[in-house]
């Protein structure tokens, strides 16, 4: 059975004091929910965030990691370093990593493999640019992103993968895919996985939607059959908004 998930990607926001305050606020306001609730602060504040969520069901995620075990990779963070501070899940393939830091499908395939080999759960992000959608290329683009980074993995790896479909044109723009557009793509993703593996793998993988999800639109998006929750950027930076989104699931 796939789980419902609401995850907040804090990106390069919140200093240490702000991180502690937001975590404390979330822990205090977290509603009763069957959904998994996750937050991804910046690397330097992960340890404090892990401490801060201890009395709650909130999980702390990392926003990225390197594919190498260790070594001469100045400025990078390894899977073991994350595990060592109590992180169990890492976001990989966010569109900002792809666009601003040159992360290709090949690099992401290596990162995914390392993370899974280390028993980290992977939240894998992917999605089309506006030009892809305008030209009608969005389904094949999404299919190729999945195929290139994930489809060489054995079936057993899929129990440790969460997908986050994030159309790039909807991230941080205020422009949201309509619930119907989200459902259409999520159903396509599930079918693509069923074709590459089987129906059981496809049915059991959680597929989150990301892209300008707000308290006002969360419930409708989350109501769609193949949408299992959301990856939230801007609206995850205020406890009341994030809680309202959690309440939409
Ligand atoms: C994101 O960056 O993953 C995201 C979905 O951002 P926003 O909610 O701000 O569009």
């Amino acid at each position: 059975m796939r789980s419902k998930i609401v995850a907040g990607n804090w990106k390069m926001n919140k200093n240490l004091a702000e991180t502690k305050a937001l975590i404390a606020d979330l822990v205090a306001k977290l509603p009763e929910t069957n959904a998994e609730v996750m937050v991804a602060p910046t690397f330097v504040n992960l340890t404090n965030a892990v401490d801060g969520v201890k009395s709650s069901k909130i999980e702390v995620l990392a926003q990225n990691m390197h594919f190498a075990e260790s070594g001469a990779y100045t400025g990078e963070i390894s899977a073991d370093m994350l595990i060592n501070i109590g992180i169990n899940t890492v976001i990989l393939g966010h569109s900002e990593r792809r666009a601003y830091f040159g992360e290709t499908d090949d690099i992401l395939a290596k990162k995914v493999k390392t993370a899974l080999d280390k028993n980290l759960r992977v939240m894998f992000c992917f999605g089309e640019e506006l030009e892809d959608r305008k030209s009608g290329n969005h389904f094949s683009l999404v299919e190729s992103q999945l195929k290139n980074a994930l489809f060489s993995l054995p079936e057993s790896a899929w129990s440790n993968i969460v997908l986050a479909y994030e159309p790039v044109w909807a991230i941080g723009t205020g422009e949201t895919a309509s619930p119907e557009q989200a459902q259409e793509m999520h159903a396509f993703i599930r079918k693509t996985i069923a074709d590459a593996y089987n129906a059981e793998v496809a049915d059991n993988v959680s597929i989150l939607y990301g892209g300008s999800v707000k308290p006002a639109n969360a419930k409708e998006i989350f109501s769609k059959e193949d949408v299992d929750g959301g990856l939230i950027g801007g609206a995850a930076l205020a406890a009341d908004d994030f809680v309202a989104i959690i309440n939409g699931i």
Side-chain angles (χ1 to χ4, degrees):
M1 249 275 283
R2 59 188 190 248
S3 37
K4 301 269 184 199
I5 299 172
V6 180
N9 174 15
W10 294 6
K11 309 190 186 190
M12 198 173 71
N13 294 297
K14 305 286 178 193
N15 64 24
L16 178 57
E18 291 163 347
T19 297
K20 286 181 179 173
L22 180 50
I23 292 279
D25 216 8
L26 285 174
V27 169
K29 292 175 176 167
L30 193 71
E32 276 289 313
T33 174
N34 291 328
E36 294 184 51
V37 177
M38 307 171 168
V39 293
T42 184
F43 283 126
V44 290
N45 295 327
L46 285 176
T47 301
N48 285 90
V50 168
D51 282 350
V53 299
K54 269 194 180 126
S55 64
S56 79
K57 65 170 279 181
I58 300 173
E59 180 183 348
V60 174
L61 321 180
Q63 296 177 17
N64 182 31
M65 54 158 254
H66 198 270
F67 54 76
E69 283 260 325
S70 62
Y73 297 98
T74 301
E76 291 292 335
I77 309 281
S78 73
D80 282 338
M81 290 170 184
L82 296 177
I83 293 162
N84 189 244
I85 59 165
I87 299 294
N88 297 312
T89 305
V90 62
I91 298 172
L92 294 175
H94 191 279
S95 64
E96 288 148 17
R97 300 294 318 169
R98 294 176 190 255
Y100 309 144
F101 303 97
E103 295 199 3
T104 60
D105 289 352
D106 284 355
I107 291 172
L108 291 169
K110 286 194 208 173
K111 289 190 174 201
V112 169
K113 184 174 181 319
T114 301
L116 294 172
D117 284 350
K118 294 284 180 182
N119 265 335
L120 282 169
R121 180 152 70 150
V122 170
M123 182 178 289
F124 183 76
C125 304
F126 58 100
E128 81 281 3
E129 309 259 352
L130 186 58
E131 305 84 73
D132 302 308
R133 188 158 275 267
K134 279 188 176 156
S135 64
N137 198 31
H138 47 301
F139 291 115
S140 57
L141 192 278
V142 159
E143 185 173 1
S144 73
Q145 288 175 321
L146 291 171
K147 185 169 169 252
N148 295 341
L150 302 182
F151 285 179
S152 310
L153 295 168
E155 184 179 328
S156 59
W158 281 80
S159 55
N160 260 339
I161 293 176
V162 172
L163 298 177
Y165 165 63
E166 300 201 299
V168 179
W169 48 272
I171 296 181
T173 59
E175 185 90 30
T176 319
S178 68
E180 291 70 31
Q181 283 173 319
Q183 169 57 27
E184 182 186 38
M185 182 58 90
H186 283 223
F188 171 79
I189 292 163
R190 223 178 278 289
K191 181 177 180 318
T192 303
I193 296 166
D195 291 345
Y197 290 86
N198 55 56
E200 200 186 341
V201 172
D203 284 346
N204 285 331
V205 67
S206 297
I207 309 177
L208 315 186
Y209 169 79
S212 298
V213 176
K214 305 270 182 279
N217 59 20
K219 198 177 172 69
E220 209 189 339
I221 295 171
F222 296 163
S223 71
K224 294 296 176 189
E225 192 185 336
D226 287 294
V227 178
D228 303 309
L231 180 55
I232 321 298
L237 297 173
D240 290 343
D241 284 350
F242 194 56
V243 164
I245 290 170
I246 295 165
N247 280 327
I249 202 136

PDB file of all heavy atoms in Angstrom, residues 5-9 36-40 61 91 123 208 230-233 236 242:
ATOM      1  N   ILE A   5       1.955  11.409   1.481  1.00  0.00           N
ATOM      2  CA  ILE A   5       3.125  12.149   1.976  1.00  0.00           C
ATOM      3  C   ILE A   5       2.947  13.642   1.702  1.00  0.00           C
ATOM      4  O   ILE A   5       2.544  14.028   0.598  1.00  0.00           O
ATOM      5  CB  ILE A   5       4.418  11.663   1.262  1.00  0.00           C
ATOM      6  CG1 ILE A   5       4.664  10.178   1.537  1.00  0.00           C
ATOM      7  CG2 ILE A   5       5.621  12.511   1.683  1.00  0.00           C
ATOM      8  CD1 ILE A   5       5.806   9.566   0.729  1.00  0.00           C
ATOM      9  N   VAL A   6       3.252  14.453   2.707  1.00  0.00           N
ATOM     10  CA  VAL A   6       3.383  15.894   2.463  1.00  0.00           C
ATOM     11  C   VAL A   6       4.791  16.285   2.905  1.00  0.00           C
ATOM     12  O   VAL A   6       5.170  16.076   4.071  1.00  0.00           O
ATOM     13  CB  VAL A   6       2.339  16.723   3.234  1.00  0.00           C
ATOM     14  CG1 VAL A   6       2.526  18.214   2.934  1.00  0.00           C
ATOM     15  CG2 VAL A   6       0.921  16.291   2.848  1.00  0.00           C
ATOM     16  N   ALA A   7       5.575  16.807   1.962  1.00  0.00           N
ATOM     17  CA  ALA A   7       6.976  17.134   2.254  1.00  0.00           C
ATOM     18  C   ALA A   7       7.236  18.599   1.935  1.00  0.00           C
ATOM     19  O   ALA A   7       6.753  19.115   0.925  1.00  0.00           O
ATOM     20  CB  ALA A   7       7.902  16.246   1.421  1.00  0.00           C
ATOM     21  N   GLY A   8       8.008  19.242   2.800  1.00  0.00           N
ATOM     22  CA  GLY A   8       8.363  20.647   2.578  1.00  0.00           C
ATOM     23  C   GLY A   8       9.822  20.768   2.191  1.00  0.00           C
ATOM     24  O   GLY A   8      10.698  20.264   2.900  1.00  0.00           O
ATOM     25  N   ASN A   9      10.072  21.410   1.062  1.00  0.00           N
ATOM     26  CA  ASN A   9      11.441  21.662   0.616  1.00  0.00           C
ATOM     27  C   ASN A   9      11.767  23.114   0.931  1.00  0.00           C
ATOM     28  O   ASN A   9      11.266  24.019   0.281  1.00  0.00           O
ATOM     29  CB  ASN A   9      11.530  21.403  -0.904  1.00  0.00           C
ATOM     30  CG  ASN A   9      12.878  21.790  -1.476  1.00  0.00           C
ATOM     31  OD1 ASN A   9      13.841  21.989  -0.736  1.00  0.00           O
ATOM     32  ND2 ASN A   9      12.942  21.892  -2.800  1.00  0.00           N
ATOM     33  N   GLU A  36       2.534  10.753   5.887  1.00  0.00           N
ATOM     34  CA  GLU A  36       3.892  11.017   6.350  1.00  0.00           C
ATOM     35  C   GLU A  36       4.151  12.503   6.145  1.00  0.00           C
ATOM     36  O   GLU A  36       3.804  13.057   5.098  1.00  0.00           O
ATOM     37  CB  GLU A  36       4.907  10.215   5.537  1.00  0.00           C
ATOM     38  CG  GLU A  36       4.801   8.722   5.717  1.00  0.00           C
ATOM     39  CD  GLU A  36       5.903   7.996   4.946  1.00  0.00           C
ATOM     40  OE1 GLU A  36       7.089   8.357   5.086  1.00  0.00           O
ATOM     41  OE2 GLU A  36       5.572   7.096   4.166  1.00  0.00           O
ATOM     42  N   VAL A  37       4.769  13.134   7.138  1.00  0.00           N
ATOM     43  CA  VAL A  37       5.079  14.564   7.041  1.00  0.00           C
ATOM     44  C   VAL A  37       6.599  14.725   7.099  1.00  0.00           C
ATOM     45  O   VAL A  37       7.259  14.155   7.975  1.00  0.00           O
ATOM     46  CB  VAL A  37       4.411  15.352   8.188  1.00  0.00           C
ATOM     47  CG1 VAL A  37       4.800  16.829   8.123  1.00  0.00           C
ATOM     48  CG2 VAL A  37       2.887  15.196   8.123  1.00  0.00           C
ATOM     49  N   MET A  38       7.138  15.467   6.149  1.00  0.00           N
ATOM     50  CA  MET A  38       8.594  15.588   6.042  1.00  0.00           C
ATOM     51  C   MET A  38       8.994  17.032   5.789  1.00  0.00           C
ATOM     52  O   MET A  38       8.248  17.765   5.131  1.00  0.00           O
ATOM     53  CB  MET A  38       9.094  14.770   4.840  1.00  0.00           C
ATOM     54  CG  MET A  38       8.635  13.333   4.834  1.00  0.00           C
ATOM     55  SD  MET A  38       9.082  12.570   3.254  1.00  0.00           S
ATOM     56  CE  MET A  38       8.785  10.857   3.653  1.00  0.00           C
ATOM     57  N   VAL A  39      10.172  17.403   6.278  1.00  0.00           N
ATOM     58  CA  VAL A  39      10.712  18.726   5.947  1.00  0.00           C
ATOM     59  C   VAL A  39      12.180  18.588   5.571  1.00  0.00           C
ATOM     60  O   VAL A  39      12.895  17.755   6.105  1.00  0.00           O
ATOM     61  CB  VAL A  39      10.582  19.726   7.124  1.00  0.00           C
ATOM     62  CG1 VAL A  39       9.117  20.042   7.393  1.00  0.00           C
ATOM     63  CG2 VAL A  39      11.270  19.233   8.383  1.00  0.00           C
ATOM     64  N   ALA A  40      12.614  19.426   4.629  1.00  0.00           N
ATOM     65  CA  ALA A  40      13.994  19.367   4.157  1.00  0.00           C
ATOM     66  C   ALA A  40      14.669  20.732   4.321  1.00  0.00           C
ATOM     67  O   ALA A  40      14.647  21.557   3.414  1.00  0.00           O
ATOM     68  CB  ALA A  40      14.023  18.938   2.689  1.00  0.00           C
ATOM     69  N   LEU A  61      14.431  15.461   5.923  1.00  0.00           N
ATOM     70  CA  LEU A  61      15.073  14.991   4.685  1.00  0.00           C
ATOM     71  C   LEU A  61      16.260  15.873   4.344  1.00  0.00           C
ATOM     72  O   LEU A  61      16.302  17.039   4.721  1.00  0.00           O
ATOM     73  CB  LEU A  61      14.125  15.111   3.486  1.00  0.00           C
ATOM     74  CG  LEU A  61      12.659  14.797   3.581  1.00  0.00           C
ATOM     75  CD1 LEU A  61      12.030  15.019   2.210  1.00  0.00           C
ATOM     76  CD2 LEU A  61      12.487  13.382   4.021  1.00  0.00           C
ATOM     77  N   ILE A  91      16.215  13.959  -1.084  1.00  0.00           N
ATOM     78  CA  ILE A  91      15.610  14.443  -2.331  1.00  0.00           C
ATOM     79  C   ILE A  91      16.696  14.435  -3.400  1.00  0.00           C
ATOM     80  O   ILE A  91      17.801  14.931  -3.171  1.00  0.00           O
ATOM     81  CB  ILE A  91      15.075  15.890  -2.149  1.00  0.00           C
ATOM     82  CG1 ILE A  91      13.979  15.953  -1.080  1.00  0.00           C
ATOM     83  CG2 ILE A  91      14.579  16.453  -3.481  1.00  0.00           C
ATOM     84  CD1 ILE A  91      13.540  17.379  -0.719  1.00  0.00           C
ATOM     85  N   MET A 123      13.613  10.472  -2.655  1.00  0.00           N
ATOM     86  CA  MET A 123      12.471  11.204  -3.209  1.00  0.00           C
ATOM     87  C   MET A 123      12.964  11.787  -4.528  1.00  0.00           C
ATOM     88  O   MET A 123      13.726  12.753  -4.547  1.00  0.00           O
ATOM     89  CB  MET A 123      11.999  12.298  -2.259  1.00  0.00           C
ATOM     90  CG  MET A 123      10.774  13.025  -2.801  1.00  0.00           C
ATOM     91  SD  MET A 123      10.162  14.282  -1.653  1.00  0.00           S
ATOM     92  CE  MET A 123       9.476  13.251  -0.352  1.00  0.00           C
ATOM     93  N   LEU A 208       4.074  12.130  -5.667  1.00  0.00           N
ATOM     94  CA  LEU A 208       3.689  13.438  -5.142  1.00  0.00           C
ATOM     95  C   LEU A 208       3.627  14.440  -6.277  1.00  0.00           C
ATOM     96  O   LEU A 208       4.350  14.309  -7.270  1.00  0.00           O
ATOM     97  CB  LEU A 208       4.704  13.925  -4.108  1.00  0.00           C
ATOM     98  CG  LEU A 208       5.168  12.913  -3.053  1.00  0.00           C
ATOM     99  CD1 LEU A 208       6.053  13.608  -2.026  1.00  0.00           C
ATOM    100  CD2 LEU A 208       3.980  12.247  -2.386  1.00  0.00           C
ATOM    101  N   GLY A 230       2.093  15.878  -1.730  1.00  0.00           N
ATOM    102  CA  GLY A 230       2.769  16.982  -2.402  1.00  0.00           C
ATOM    103  C   GLY A 230       4.159  17.257  -1.884  1.00  0.00           C
ATOM    104  O   GLY A 230       4.482  16.956  -0.726  1.00  0.00           O
ATOM    105  N   LEU A 231       4.981  17.803  -2.774  1.00  0.00           N
ATOM    106  CA  LEU A 231       6.267  18.386  -2.385  1.00  0.00           C
ATOM    107  C   LEU A 231       6.072  19.894  -2.472  1.00  0.00           C
ATOM    108  O   LEU A 231       5.747  20.424  -3.537  1.00  0.00           O
ATOM    109  CB  LEU A 231       7.400  17.904  -3.304  1.00  0.00           C
ATOM    110  CG  LEU A 231       8.794  18.465  -2.992  1.00  0.00           C
ATOM    111  CD1 LEU A 231       9.215  18.205  -1.554  1.00  0.00           C
ATOM    112  CD2 LEU A 231       9.840  17.860  -3.945  1.00  0.00           C
ATOM    113  N   ILE A 232       6.243  20.554  -1.339  1.00  0.00           N
ATOM    114  CA  ILE A 232       5.841  21.952  -1.205  1.00  0.00           C
ATOM    115  C   ILE A 232       7.069  22.830  -1.010  1.00  0.00           C
ATOM    116  O   ILE A 232       7.898  22.538  -0.134  1.00  0.00           O
ATOM    117  CB  ILE A 232       4.919  22.138   0.041  1.00  0.00           C
ATOM    118  CG1 ILE A 232       3.929  20.958   0.216  1.00  0.00           C
ATOM    119  CG2 ILE A 232       4.222  23.482   0.020  1.00  0.00           C
ATOM    120  CD1 ILE A 232       2.950  20.753  -0.897  1.00  0.00           C
ATOM    121  N   GLY A 233       7.194  23.886  -1.797  1.00  0.00           N
ATOM    122  CA  GLY A 233       8.309  24.815  -1.643  1.00  0.00           C
ATOM    123  C   GLY A 233       7.907  26.006  -0.788  1.00  0.00           C
ATOM    124  O   GLY A 233       7.879  25.936   0.434  1.00  0.00           O
ATOM    125  N   ALA A 236       5.815  25.898   2.356  1.00  0.00           N
ATOM    126  CA  ALA A 236       6.295  25.093   3.492  1.00  0.00           C
ATOM    127  C   ALA A 236       7.088  25.946   4.472  1.00  0.00           C
ATOM    128  O   ALA A 236       7.514  25.464   5.526  1.00  0.00           O
ATOM    129  CB  ALA A 236       7.175  23.946   2.981  1.00  0.00           C
ATOM    130  N   PHE A 242       1.727  25.341   5.889  1.00  0.00           N
ATOM    131  CA  PHE A 242       2.107  23.939   5.722  1.00  0.00           C
ATOM    132  C   PHE A 242       1.089  23.028   6.421  1.00  0.00           C
ATOM    133  O   PHE A 242       0.669  21.998   5.869  1.00  0.00           O
ATOM    134  CB  PHE A 242       3.532  23.722   6.257  1.00  0.00           C
ATOM    135  CG  PHE A 242       4.153  22.411   5.838  1.00  0.00           C
ATOM    136  CD1 PHE A 242       4.264  22.063   4.490  1.00  0.00           C
ATOM    137  CD2 PHE A 242       4.647  21.528   6.789  1.00  0.00           C
ATOM    138  CE1 PHE A 242       4.849  20.844   4.108  1.00  0.00           C
ATOM    139  CE2 PHE A 242       5.233  20.318   6.411  1.00  0.00           C
ATOM    140  CZ  PHE A 242       5.337  19.979   5.072  1.00  0.00           C
TER     141      PHE A 242
END
